[in-house]
Amino acid sequence: MNKIFVFCEMSGDRIKKSSLELLTAARKSGHPIVTGALGPGSENLKEFLQNYGVTTHYFNGSAELKHYNPELYSPMVVEMLKSSEASIVLASSSLMNRDLFARVAAKLDLACINDCTELNLQEDDLGLRRPLYSGKCSAQVRIKEDSQRIILMRPNQLPVENFSDSASVELKELAIPSVDLKTVIKEVVKGTSERLDLTEANIIVSGGRGMGGPENFKILEDLADTLGATVGASRAVVDAGWVPHNMQVGQTGKTVAPSLYIACGVSGAIQHLAGMSSSKVIVAINKDPEAPIFQKATYGIVGDVFEIVPKLTEEFKKVLS
Amino acid sequence: MRIFVCIKQVPDTETKIKLKADQSSIEESGIKWIVNPYDEFAIEEALKLKEAVGQGQVTLVSVGPKARVVDALRTGLAMGADDALIVDTSTPLDNLLTAQSLAAVIKSEGPPAMIFLGRQSIDMGVSATGPMLAEVLGLPHASLVSKFSHEEGVSRIEREVEGGSKEVLEITGPAVITANKGLNTPRYASLPGIMKAKKKPLKEMSLADLGFNSEQNKVHLTNFKMPPEKPPVKMISGEANQQAQELVKALREEAKVL
């Protein structure tokens, strides 16, 4: 029987939703589950993890691991994987995990597949599919069956369910490796917003050249606040310097797949469409009825963003309060 | 100071992807190939580092089919890199085998002072080659780097972390750096640069020369598919108030995303 290792990424003292999606999939598969987590809070997960039937949990809650340092994290995760004897390793395809598990895989001479959108733990080949060219097409992924297969799933592809098992979770605290660190993290400067990263957001409000200027992104911020969304942007406005590049959606920015993508004043260049067209529902608001974005949209409104967006915000406030 | 830049040639962002009839891969005929945009930031940063230090050698390395990849390397040489190495393979390699091949080339060329790559290629978009290369070479790395400076053996780095936050860090000694958008503005190749590039050394080797073969790939892509066709867009007309109300209603009751 396959044993599944789920790497739980922490946000504060809780496990991120994207990791809960994987715990849920692992629990539903019926295979034995082993987990690992690093950083403050990872030592206090026993009661939570027993609900999912986890048999062993590897952790280290030291403040030294608050921020991701590849030189500390990768040998610790390598240790977890070796000790767990799991045949399948699951983690979410977050910025950190994509980095971390690349190093881990290289160390263990294993394949590592990230950004998968389909997973079936009942199938021998795991039913993996992955978008390519930022979603312009996709391919089935087959991994040579080594001792372990490392799979990073794109967030928001799998449901989260709660379970109430009462497994006895064996806790295993790993020591921090005593290495001569070449990398020293000096500080982490918080972004202007506390919103989820674009790649993990469930709702995205995005602005293009039709927004007219950086000062007008305020109305998108207001709409995003109302919806608990993250704000994105097209390449044109990033290149014009209106907003920082970490907000760029598209083939040369971030590939996103939220439940709801609201494109405001975005015309829809090929490379932008590639980066967002796998969103479940797409709303396009644009004054040009010929804008290519309408071909990918679920709902379209031809109109003035400055008029429509504030009215939308008002309307959402009414129904969501 | 020996600086390496690992680059990949990819289809232009405006490319409309078509699949082969047997769905075994994409149809490559008619594609315009470019230097991966993130790799241009990597080349630029390597050239800036050499200029700041006042001496050094910037070596480009690429893995891929020589017949076309040579153009990407000539572009980098025209920007100002000193020499280039190509690992000729017609079979695409997975990230680990790519990283292992790059590591073997770099090891055979002499110890690196710094290695730059783009944060990811815009075709496969895996972003694993940089960290894997660092692990194989036993070097530290920093990915998604948006600011870089290097003084007396210490690199001062700013990188993107989740949620729009930035991390400031320092790495001592040689390291692998993956370049994010915003790191710099890549220079254009000048006409004299293009002329000079034609005479710069371009060395080629095979996977076998490095002790590898493409059978060592662990990852295989099959059964390519285009994204599912979208149902036609539902246009919502009327005056602004009405449009807003109808859209909110549709999102809640029909699409059920709120």
Side-chain angles (χ1 to χ4, degrees), chain A residues 99 133 189 252 254 277 299, chain B residues 38 123 143 166 230 254:
Chain A
D99 198 73
Y133 306 91
V189 186
T252 51
K254 287 176 177 163
S277 55
Y299 299 105
Chain B
Y38 291 112
D123 51 358
S143 55
K166 276 181 186 152
K230 301 239 170 204
E254 189 177 66

Side-chain angles (χ1 to χ4, degrees), chain B residues 131-147:
Chain B
M132 283 180 164
L133 175 62
E135 184 66 41
V136 177
L137 290 171
L139 294 176
H141 84 278
S143 55
L144 312 181
V145 171
S146 50
K147 261 189 197 167

Side-chain angles (χ1 to χ4, degrees), chain B:
Chain B
M1 183 180 230
R2 191 75 189 272
I3 307 164
F4 290 90
V5 189
C6 306
I7 69 170
K8 185 176 186 184
Q9 195 186 38
V10 297
D12 184 75
T13 49
E14 293 302 314
T15 305
K16 283 193 174 135
I17 296 292
K18 293 187 198 108
L19 304 184
K20 284 190 178 151
D22 65 358
Q23 294 180 294
S24 61
S25 68
I26 63 161
E27 183 56 68
E28 291 197 355
S29 62
I31 285 180
K32 181 186 169 202
W33 296 90
I34 58 168
V35 176
N36 179 43
Y38 291 112
D39 299 349
E40 291 187 345
F41 303 122
I43 298 170
E44 177 63 32
E45 204 58 30
L47 296 174
K48 279 173 65 181
L49 176 58
K50 178 186 162 182
E51 286 159 5
V53 175
Q55 53 87 18
Q57 179 182 355
V58 174
T59 302
L60 306 175
V61 191
S62 190
V63 177
K66 184 194 159 203
R68 63 168 164 81
V69 172
V70 91
D71 292 340
L73 291 169
R74 290 284 177 213
T75 304
L77 291 172
M79 285 172 72
D82 298 291
D83 62 330
L85 292 145
I86 182 162
V87 181
D88 183 22
T89 168
S90 53
T91 312
L93 306 187
D94 66 20
N95 295 90
L96 185 56
L97 196 48
T98 304
Q100 289 167 336
S101 307
L102 292 171
V105 172
I106 291 169
K107 270 187 201 157
S108 74
E109 282 292 304
M114 204 62 67
I115 303 172
F116 294 95
L117 299 85
R119 64 173 280 182
Q120 67 190 64
S121 65
I122 61 160
D123 51 358
M124 300 296 116
V126 183
S127 65
T129 304
M132 283 180 164
L133 175 62
E135 184 66 41
V136 177
L137 290 171
L139 294 176
H141 84 278
S143 55
L144 312 181
V145 171
S146 50
K147 261 189 197 167
F148 179 87
S149 61
H150 185 86
E151 228 170 288
E152 289 168 8
V154 178
S155 303
R156 197 171 159 82
I157 291 160
E158 217 175 89
R159 61 182 290 265
E160 179 189 347
V161 289
E162 262 139 48
S165 299
K166 276 181 186 152
E167 188 177 270
V168 181
L169 61 147
E170 285 179 0
I171 300 184
T172 309
V176 173
I177 304 295
T178 81
N180 204 353
K181 189 168 181 172
L183 176 61
N184 53 46
T185 308
R187 66 195 68 183
Y188 287 104
S190 63
L191 193 57
I194 294 167
M195 298 311 290
K196 264 195 231 163
K198 291 179 181 159
K199 296 199 183 96
K200 286 180 178 173
L202 198 154
K203 201 155 83 186
E204 66 169 287
M205 50 192 86
S206 67
L207 268 186
D209 293 338
L210 301 170
F212 296 111
N213 67 74
S214 58
E215 298 293 305
Q216 289 167 295
N217 269 335
K218 294 175 190 291
V219 179
H220 298 276
L221 301 177
T222 60
N223 191 15
F224 280 60
K225 272 191 206 164
M226 296 304 283
E229 283 291 318
K230 301 239 170 204
V233 58
K234 291 183 185 169
M235 297 304 293
I236 298 173
S237 50
E239 54 87 38
N241 261 326
Q242 204 181 342
Q243 286 175 316
Q245 278 172 13
E246 251 181 71
L247 176 61
V248 172
K249 188 163 177 247
L251 289 175
R252 282 166 62 84
E253 293 170 16
E254 189 177 66
K256 296 194 167 61
V257 284
L258 286 168

